[in-house]
């Protein structure tokens, strides 16, 4: 099995691409945001990450019912790079731990590949060495700002601030295996996604890994059997 990194800039349309891969192509998507928010409830009240966030950022980022005030927390971290790094250092280890278990389960079940939906794939850099292919969803800067303003009801200044907090799309494109141009309509995007999916399906990289692992197991078993015969 091999890993495919899916990333892009904020409001470039990565979620749309992820949905097409999941619902229309049948791919297994491990979404870091969903794992944090829903699947494993990493920052629910009382969890380890929640307690550290409350200690580091104060009660101002906690609602009266104990849940995180994501909007307030977002305002803080997008205005201060050091605070953003601090939050990432709190949540990312828990997210990665959960993702690793899900990857192992997918491997045991015989998946050819798993797609890791990671908005900050390049920014954190931890999983980049393990991704055999990287897909970057991109669009023009003008569209990115317009979409973010509309989606999050932000001013142009606020939208630009959030976009600037991430690595530039130009740099991400330079490091990509495949680039999805999400400037046009949904059908154009869908066709690109399906073309890339076909290329991934045709990859035999996973067989190389499985053969190496199988060879390793057989070697260990053979050595163990040889030692038993000596006694």
């Amino acid at each position: 099995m091999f890993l495919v990194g899916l990333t892009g800039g904020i409001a470039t349309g990565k979620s749309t691409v992820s949905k097409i891969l999941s619902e229309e192509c049948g791919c297994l998507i491990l979404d870091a945001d969903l794992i944090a928010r829903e699947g494993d409830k990493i920052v629910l009240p009382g969890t380890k990450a929640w307690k550290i966030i409350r200690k580091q950022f104060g009660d101002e980022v906690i609602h009266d019912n104990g849940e995180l005030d994501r909007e307030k927390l977002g305002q803080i971290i997008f205005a201060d790079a050091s605070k953003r790094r601090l939050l990432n250092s709190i949540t990312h280890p828990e997210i990665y731990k959960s993702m690793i278990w899900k990857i192992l389960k997918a491997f045991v079940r015989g998946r050819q590949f798993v797609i890791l939906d990671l908005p900050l794939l390049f920014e954190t850099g931890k999983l980049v060495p393990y991704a055999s292919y990287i897909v970057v969803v991109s669009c023009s800067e003008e569209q990115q700002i317009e979409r973010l303003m509309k989606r999050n009801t932000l001013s142009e200044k606020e939208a630009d601030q959030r976009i600037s907090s991430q690595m530039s799309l130009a740099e991400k494109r330079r490091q990509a295996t495949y680039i999805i141009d999400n400037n046009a309509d949904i059908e154009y995007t869908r066709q690109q996604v399906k073309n890339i999916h076909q290329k991934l399906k045709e990859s035999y990289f996973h067989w190389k890994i499985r053969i190496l692992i199988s060879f390793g197991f057989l070697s260990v078993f053979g050595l163990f059997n040889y030692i038993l015969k000596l006694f």
Side-chain angles (χ1 to χ4, degrees):
M1 188 183 75
F2 59 91
L3 303 179
V4 180
L6 173 64
T7 192
I10 187 171
T12 57
K14 181 176 61 60
S15 295
T16 298
V17 169
S18 181
K19 186 176 181 179
I20 294 171
L21 285 167
S22 174
E23 297 182 1
E24 299 182 29
C25 301
C27 296
L28 175 61
I29 310 287
L30 297 186
D31 187 324
D33 286 341
L34 287 179
I35 289 173
R37 293 190 181 196
E38 299 170 8
D40 299 294
K41 307 189 185 305
I42 289 167
V43 293
L44 278 182
T47 59
K48 177 182 176 182
W50 179 89
K51 290 176 181 178
I52 299 174
I53 291 171
R54 184 171 191 172
K55 181 180 179 180
Q56 296 292 335
F57 291 88
D59 288 338
E60 62 179 308
V61 299
I62 306 294
H63 284 301
D64 291 339
N65 63 0
E67 294 182 358
L68 277 184
D69 185 336
R70 295 180 182 277
E71 184 176 349
K72 180 63 178 178
L73 189 58
Q75 291 173 358
I76 293 172
I77 65 171
F78 284 117
D80 186 332
S82 64
K83 295 289 187 182
R84 188 165 59 252
R85 287 192 294 269
L86 173 60
L87 179 65
N88 289 341
S89 72
I90 296 169
T91 59
H92 285 183
E94 299 298 318
I95 294 171
Y96 290 143
K97 189 188 302 181
S98 177
M99 292 189 86
I100 288 170
W101 278 112
K102 292 178 187 296
I103 290 169
L104 289 174
K105 288 179 183 177
F107 174 78
V108 171
R109 291 170 180 169
R111 283 275 182 175
Q112 181 186 359
F113 59 87
V114 173
I115 296 178
L116 308 180
D117 185 337
L118 294 161
L120 302 178
L121 175 66
F122 291 122
E123 285 84 347
T124 60
K126 293 184 182 296
L127 292 179
V128 171
Y130 305 103
S132 302
Y133 305 96
I134 295 177
V135 180
V136 170
V137 184
S138 183
C139 68
S140 69
E141 185 178 344
E142 293 75 21
Q143 279 199 329
Q144 191 179 10
I145 291 175
E146 182 181 338
R147 289 171 180 171
L148 185 55
M149 288 171 63
K150 183 178 180 180
R151 189 188 76 183
N152 291 36
T153 319
L154 301 175
S155 66
E156 185 172 350
K157 181 180 179 181
E158 289 171 327
D160 185 63
Q161 185 183 56
R162 296 199 177 196
I163 292 170
S164 298
S165 72
Q166 297 183 344
M167 179 187 291
S168 71
L169 278 174
E171 180 58 32
K172 290 183 179 183
R173 287 193 295 267
R174 278 195 288 272
Q175 298 186 51
T177 312
Y178 302 110
I179 299 170
I180 294 176
D181 177 2
N182 196 32
N183 280 301
D185 58 45
I186 184 66
E187 286 306 319
Y188 179 60
T189 298
R190 178 178 283 110
Q191 189 56 53
Q192 292 176 81
V193 173
K194 294 195 171 182
N195 288 341
I196 291 172
H197 176 244
Q198 186 60 37
K199 291 177 181 178
L200 294 175
K201 280 174 47 178
E202 293 170 356
S203 172
Y204 294 99
F205 185 84
H206 68 297
W207 285 113
K208 297 177 185 178
I209 300 299
R210 287 184 182 274
I211 289 170
L212 287 173
I213 292 174
S214 299
F215 180 76
F217 276 126
L218 288 173
S219 298
V220 171
F221 178 77
L223 179 61
F224 182 70
N225 193 44
Y226 174 74
I227 292 173
L228 285 178
K229 287 180 178 179
L230 291 178
F231 294 95

